[in-house]
Amino acid sequence: MSHNKSRFGWKFDNTYSRLSDGFFERANPKRAQASHLVLFNDELAQSLGLNSEELKTEGGDFFSGNVLFEGSEPIALAYAGHQFGHFNMLGDGRAHLLGEHITPNGERFDIQLKGSGPTRFSRQGDGLAGLGPMLREYIISEAMFALGIPTTRSLAVATTGEQVVRETLLPGAVLTRVARSHIRVGTFQYAAAYENGENLRELADYTLQRHFPELISQPEPYVSLLKAVIERQASLIVKWMHVGFIHGVMNTDNMTLSGETIDYGPCAFMDSYSLSTVFSSIDRQGRYAYGQQPAIAMWNLTRLAEALLSLFSTDQEKAIAKAEESLDTFAGHLQRHWLNSMREKLGIGVAGKDDMIFFTSLLELMEKNHADFTNTFRALSKETMLEEPLFKDAEFLKWHKDWIARKPNFDLMRTRNPAVIPRNHLVEKVLAAAVEKDDYSVTKNLIAVLKQPFTEPANAAEYMKPAINGGEDYKTFCGT
Ligand code: AMP
Ligand code: MG
């Protein structure tokens, strides 16, 4: 452990590796054959207080896991999780937490390598990641950040010079992920299921200290912790839904206590609006469909409440009552966030008592007319009508008149309704250029455009055009 600033500006203080043994395994990243830094996030590096010029020129071997930054103490974290409803023991099977970096203004961030080789938790997996999926996580997580959505971030992607065996051979790569922490609902499930009561308390205290220090002095800090996590998740899910984001694999191991979006696997953005939109090839039941996200978040939070139960009261009935009372707050938070956010998307300053019906009727008309979610809201915020079925629908024209009567604030709307999102076909195109032709220029162009999502880019049409068929044929894959 080192508190002093070291080379590149790192300042590690690794508190997670000072928790009890069961929470992690010490593990070194796999050595890469030939490291090559292909993407580097200058802006993020600078905001972390790092020397970005030095990292960009000399960081390749570090970002591939070949050499360790001074002060890092790599560990793989233990956790469990419900995956598609089934409980499993998991853990970092292809990731190494290098440590926690303290920024010049005192903020703490996990620095993690993903795709950096096998650990004790790898099960059948090889511990590796393909270049395409790591670039995809970089692009989409950074786009989410620019959209104002809490998320883990991406500092770098480095190739390893090795091949990864999937359906085909893929170039191997390592992503450097930056997160408020990697504590998941599944970490609590692990502590509750596999460790003794003291470890559960230790994890809860650690989480309070790290993410909710203001709650420590509450009369019932663990109940307050649950309630705070519920609030953050309700807020997060609304943010996702109001940019058309579908996480795709909302297993309990992919839900953070910090309220950040994590694990960009089969996620994707919806083109034409429909509650039943699913992109993930393995989500055949639509468990994680666009419109299912609030319900599945609630399901996951119920698993968190169960894991925390023994901390609420020694009397089980009382503990259950506290858990239920907390979980009951989710629906109210969700509705409040949803209505507030929709008012902003529609530029409405004064709440009306029938807003829920009013907003939902617009969405229903969009669904009926297969309207593109992003472009419809953007057109409304620009006071324009599109040459599309929705805008010719008599019911919509009636709705539009009622809406205009509420004197929408178009300036506000243009800061809430993005012009550009990482549309699936755009992302696929840049990944193909990078992976197949070693051409990163188009990736970098897309990243630059996505950094300013509320501004129309120079060649707007190219970035704003929805997929053919509203993207219905698009499929994403896990096991990346
Ligand atoms: P994910 O679907 O990315 O959330 O991963 C679920 C679990 O599988 C986590 O415990 C991962 O660490 C593990 N995992 C995913 N891919 C691999 C891989 N290629 N090798 C080892 N473990 C993996
Ligand atoms: Mg995961």
Side-chain angles (χ1 to χ4, degrees):
M1 183 188 44
S2 149
H3 291 272
N4 296 325
K5 248 186 168 180
S6 58
R7 189 173 169 211
F8 303 118
W10 292 108
K11 191 179 165 202
F12 281 104
D13 174 33
N14 308 326
T15 56
Y16 206 87
S17 61
R18 301 203 284 271
L19 289 177
S20 295
D21 286 349
F23 286 114
F24 60 87
E25 288 281 323
R26 297 197 186 272
N28 280 318
K30 183 177 186 286
R31 286 191 68 87
Q33 255 166 33
S35 324
H36 184 48
L37 185 60
V38 294
L39 283 184
F40 179 73
N41 195 336
D42 268 297
E43 214 174 277
L44 175 59
Q46 280 159 29
S47 76
L48 292 171
L50 302 174
N51 186 332
S52 66
E53 284 312 312
E54 208 185 340
L55 275 171
K56 213 172 358 189
T57 48
E58 297 161 46
D61 265 328
F62 295 85
F63 289 120
S64 70
N66 232 351
V67 183
L68 289 177
F69 292 118
E70 193 186 327
S72 55
E73 297 174 299
I75 54 175
L77 274 49
Y79 50 87
H82 273 93
Q83 299 180 298
F84 292 90
H86 303 285
F87 188 74
N88 288 311
M89 173 61 194
L90 302 165
D92 288 332
R94 56 158 172 180
H96 293 80
L97 177 63
L98 295 180
E100 297 145 40
H101 168 69
I102 313 294
T103 68
N105 57 13
E107 289 185 288
R108 178 180 299 272
F109 287 98
D110 272 10
I111 308 297
Q112 191 209 53
L113 300 182
K114 180 171 176 180
S116 44
T119 72
R120 211 198 86 188
F121 306 112
S122 298
R123 296 171 293 159
Q124 308 328 320
D126 57 8
L128 304 175
L131 174 59
M134 294 304 98
L135 295 174
R136 194 166 186 277
E137 171 152 350
Y138 185 117
I139 295 166
I140 298 183
S141 64
E142 286 303 306
M144 292 286 274
F145 175 78
L147 287 163
I149 299 173
T151 175
T152 64
R153 299 196 60 190
S154 298
L155 182 61
V157 175
T159 51
T160 59
E162 288 161 42
Q163 302 277 309
V164 176
V165 185
R166 296 290 181 264
E167 278 103 58
T168 56
L169 287 180
L170 304 173
V174 176
L175 172 83
T176 303
R177 179 155 77 179
V178 178
R180 295 264 169 202
S181 86
H182 283 84
I183 304 167
R184 309 146 189 267
V185 170
T187 317
F188 278 88
Q189 292 182 289
Y190 168 79
Y194 294 95
E195 299 293 322
N196 60 42
E198 277 317 299
N199 284 1
L200 178 65
R201 187 178 300 272
E202 185 186 353
L203 179 64
D205 287 340
Y206 179 84
T207 308
L208 279 164
Q209 183 70 50
R210 191 154 169 186
H211 297 301
F212 306 95
E214 70 283 4
L215 301 181
I216 293 171
S217 57
Q218 290 285 309
E220 297 186 302
Y222 306 119
V223 177
S224 301
L225 169 65
L226 175 62
K227 285 185 176 160
V229 173
I230 288 170
E231 229 269 81
R232 284 196 190 177
Q233 285 298 329
S235 158
L236 180 67
I237 301 296
V238 167
K239 290 199 162 98
W240 286 358
M241 293 187 70
H242 285 176
V243 294
F245 178 76
I246 304 166
H247 184 285
V249 61
M250 287 175 70
N251 295 327
T252 57
D253 56 301
N254 293 338
M255 184 184 265
T256 60
L257 276 275
S258 68
E260 286 183 340
T261 311
I262 194 170
D263 268 4
Y264 292 87
C267 65
F269 280 77
M270 175 171 72
D271 289 284
S272 60
Y273 177 81
S274 167
L275 286 171
S276 58
T277 310
V278 177
F279 291 114
S280 170
S281 59
I282 59 166
D283 189 7
R284 291 191 195 90
Q285 316 287 323
R287 181 179 169 90
Y288 301 136
Y290 173 77
Q292 283 300 318
Q293 295 185 117
I296 203 72
M298 178 66 183
W299 193 90
N300 290 347
L301 291 164
T302 307
R303 305 287 83 74
L304 176 64
E306 283 168 4
L308 288 168
L309 217 51
S310 67
L311 296 178
F312 293 168
S313 170
T314 46
D315 178 332
Q316 211 193 352
E317 246 170 67
K318 276 194 193 143
I320 291 174
K322 287 179 201 295
E324 282 175 349
E325 180 221 308
S326 307
L327 290 165
D328 284 347
T329 64
F330 179 75
H333 288 312
L334 189 84
Q335 184 171 40
R336 179 170 46 84
H337 283 296
W338 194 91
L339 284 170
N340 285 341
S341 165
M342 202 45 103
R343 275 183 205 113
E344 292 185 354
K345 280 179 86 63
L346 291 169
I348 293 174
V350 184
K353 74 173 171 37
D354 293 328
D355 279 353
M356 183 58 95
I357 299 169
F358 186 60
F359 299 155
T360 309
S361 62
L362 170 64
L363 296 173
E364 283 167 3
L365 286 164
M366 286 168 64
E367 182 152 14
K368 180 178 122 193
N369 288 286
H370 303 281
D372 182 83
F373 184 73
T374 306
N375 289 353
T376 300
F377 279 101
R378 188 70 185 177
L380 293 176
S381 40
K382 292 178 68 190
E383 303 178 62
T384 50
M385 301 293 251
L386 299 176
E387 280 300 313
E388 288 190 12
L390 173 70
F391 291 78
K392 293 174 187 130
D393 185 316
E395 276 182 82
F396 171 79
L397 294 172
K398 158 92 178 54
W399 179 93
H400 193 269
K401 207 165 141 232
D402 293 343
W403 172 60
I404 292 293
R406 296 184 72 174
K407 302 198 167 41
N409 176 342
F410 296 104
D411 290 334
L412 171 70
M413 287 178 73
R414 284 190 293 273
T415 68
R416 291 295 182 275
N417 297 299
V420 279
I421 50 162
R423 288 186 186 271
N424 304 318
H425 59 283
L426 292 176
V427 176
E428 291 302 316
K429 200 171 91 185
V430 306
L431 294 186
V435 177
E436 287 156 28
K437 299 191 194 119
D438 203 27
D439 173 4
Y440 288 87
S441 61
V442 281
T443 308
K444 288 176 184 169
N445 286 344
L446 180 62
I447 291 170
V449 166
L450 292 170
K451 238 183 219 162
Q452 300 193 4
F454 300 103
T455 309
E456 264 91 18
N459 34 354
E462 182 192 333
Y463 290 101
M464 296 177 68
K465 204 164 68 201
I468 305 157
N469 294 336
E472 279 165 34
D473 310 330
Y474 185 68
K475 283 276 161 275
T476 57
F477 299 89
C478 257
T480 48

